[in-house]
Amino acid sequence: ELLRERAESIQSVVAEREFQNGMKEVKARQWEAAAKNFADAAKKAPRAKWAAEMNFHWGLALWELGRQDESTQRFEQSMTTDAPQDQKAKALFFIARNYESTGRMTKAQEFYSQVVSVHPRHPLARLAKSKLRPGLAPRGGTQPKPTTRNE
């Protein structure tokens, strides 16, 4: 029993190191290396406290590599835990973009609408709302504050 616990502890430390390496690769825009590190970390510690953040950034790496379906899966998994609203809004937006890029406009509209609903003041909510067909924007709630910055 003690040996099993020690092995799990070591595996957890290795997984967290792979997660951190993946984050460094994301910052360096080394998408393939980041995706590999995240995949290795997920195999060793799929329910780690950092799993939601890992899945989000793994989704970004896969998105940059043009692997939309895999990217969508990672973004969806990043929202299965108590992820921050900001991260959920970003994940929903990227899922919508994935659907839009593959011509699945009904699904894209559904997810753009969710961005506006989940985090109406997020900068991406304004962009998501601009992509909604008339009548599909959520009613009620606080609308995003207009900005003068170019996005």
Side-chain angles (χ1 to χ4, degrees), residues 42 44-51:
K44 293 177 181 79
R47 291 183 272 298
K49 63 183 177 189
W50 36 262

Side-chain angles (χ1 to χ4, degrees), residues 12 23 31-32 36 50 52 55 60 66 83 107 112 118 134-135 141 146:
S12 177
M23 295 299 286
W31 308 118
E32 195 68 51
K36 183 186 179 324
W50 36 262
N55 277 304
L60 284 177
K107 290 295 277 184
Y112 284 132
V118 166

Side-chain angles (χ1 to χ4, degrees), residues 5-143:
E5 288 177 14
R6 180 166 261 174
E8 287 176 2
S9 176
I10 290 170
Q11 191 168 4
S12 177
V13 169
V14 170
E16 189 162 3
R17 187 174 307 130
E18 289 169 334
F19 162 65
Q20 293 300 331
N21 287 340
M23 295 299 286
K24 288 176 187 174
E25 297 293 355
V26 166
K27 287 180 183 174
R29 302 178 64 82
Q30 298 297 315
W31 308 118
E32 195 68 51
K36 183 186 179 324
N37 275 301
F38 293 141
D40 291 344
K43 287 176 192 170
K44 293 177 181 79
R47 291 183 272 298
K49 63 183 177 189
W50 36 262
E53 183 179 5
M54 177 194 64
N55 277 304
F56 177 77
H57 287 91
W58 190 359
L60 284 177
L62 293 167
W63 185 81
E64 289 288 347
L65 292 168
R67 294 160 54 184
Q68 277 79 16
D69 288 340
E70 293 173 84
S71 172
T72 295
Q73 286 180 307
R74 292 293 138 208
F75 288 132
E76 287 172 346
Q77 288 188 358
S78 78
M79 296 184 296
T80 59
T81 61
D82 295 330
Q85 290 296 91
D86 179 65
Q87 182 175 304
K88 287 180 183 178
K90 289 176 185 177
L92 289 166
F93 186 83
F94 275 95
I95 291 169
R97 284 184 64 180
N98 284 345
Y99 283 126
E100 184 176 12
S101 73
T102 57
R104 295 178 276 182
M105 297 309 293
T106 302
K107 290 295 277 184
Q109 292 287 303
E110 176 187 321
F111 281 90
Y112 284 132
S113 180
Q114 287 183 46
V115 173
V116 177
S117 295
V118 166
H119 202 322
R121 291 196 177 274
H122 192 280
L124 290 176
R126 185 168 154 242
L127 184 55
K129 192 171 184 182
S130 74
K131 291 183 167 280
L132 290 171
R133 290 192 312 258
L136 290 180
R139 297 177 191 259
T142 309
Q143 297 303 313

